[in-house]
Amino acid sequence: MKRIGVTGHRTIPQEAYEQVLEGLRAVLGALDGSVEALSSLAAGADQLFADLALARGAQLTVVIPSGDYEACFADADELAGYRTLKERATREVVLDFPHSTDEAYYAAGVYIAENCDRLLAVWDGLPARGLGGTGDIVTYARDRGLPVTVIWREGVRRS
């Protein structure tokens, strides 16, 4: 079984969205055999990846950073997306952090990087805005020698 993890931005600018969507579809569509998709199901890239992976027939492993993770979702639609995808997961890994902190997010990203064969990064190439951000997880994965595929539209930056 191939194991594909994701790290990515919670906000994807409209001008990058189609390229991100097509990039994720292309990677997932090119995989042969059974696939395990690892995601924390954060809003944005994580949920998009999980939805596409499930549509492709992958088994979803959800990595939950903390006991109060649901409280970090900014609006009802994001939370509903999280809950819907979580219900469809094959496996759930809950990390031992009581609260959603940067350390918990970093630990979740590290877990995903350490338990996948390839990491997809929906990333604008800029440094992380806080510990555990996409840039930190990409650096961690690359330092381990893990293949990282960056999916983004060149020249587009998050607000």
Side-chain angles (χ1 to χ4, degrees), residues 9-13 123-124 126-129 152 156-159:
H9 300 312
R10 290 180 185 221
T11 57
I12 302 170
W123 180 44
D124 63 7
L126 296 176
R129 294 180 178 172
W152 197 255
V156 176
R157 299 287 182 243
R158 293 176 298 139
S159 57

Side-chain angles (χ1 to χ4, degrees), residues 74-90:
D75 65 40
D77 289 339
E78 292 174 359
L79 180 57
Y82 166 78
R83 287 178 175 162
T84 298
L85 290 165
K86 183 179 166 194
E87 287 174 8
R88 297 179 63 199
T90 304

Side-chain angles (χ1 to χ4, degrees), residues 13-159:
Q14 191 61 40
E15 59 270 26
Y17 186 82
E18 277 303 313
Q19 186 161 346
V20 167
L21 182 64
E22 291 308 313
L24 290 171
R25 282 184 179 146
V27 170
L28 290 167
L31 297 172
D32 293 328
S34 59
V35 173
E36 177 186 3
L38 292 91
S39 173
S40 290
L41 300 183
D46 285 16
Q47 288 188 16
L48 180 60
F49 166 78
D51 189 51
L52 293 170
L54 286 166
R56 184 239 181 256
Q59 296 179 18
L60 178 61
T61 295
V62 178
V63 181
I64 300 171
S66 64
D68 70 348
Y69 189 50
E70 287 193 5
C72 78
F73 288 88
D75 65 40
D77 289 339
E78 292 174 359
L79 180 57
Y82 166 78
R83 287 178 175 162
T84 298
L85 290 165
K86 183 179 166 194
E87 287 174 8
R88 297 179 63 199
T90 304
R91 188 165 75 103
E92 203 175 287
V93 176
V94 181
L95 301 184
D96 194 25
F97 289 86
H99 302 290
S100 292
T101 62
D102 287 351
E103 291 77 14
Y105 298 145
Y106 183 76
V110 165
Y111 181 94
I112 289 171
E114 288 180 348
N115 288 279
C116 69
D117 305 310
R118 180 178 182 185
L119 185 70
L120 303 183
V122 177
W123 180 44
D124 63 7
L126 296 176
R129 294 180 178 172
L131 179 66
T134 305
D136 289 343
I137 304 308
V138 168
T139 298
Y140 180 86
R142 286 179 171 163
D143 287 350
R144 293 186 71 242
L146 182 67
V148 175
T149 300
V150 176
I151 300 172
W152 197 255
R153 182 173 171 198
E154 189 173 332
V156 176
R157 299 287 182 243
R158 293 176 298 139
S159 57

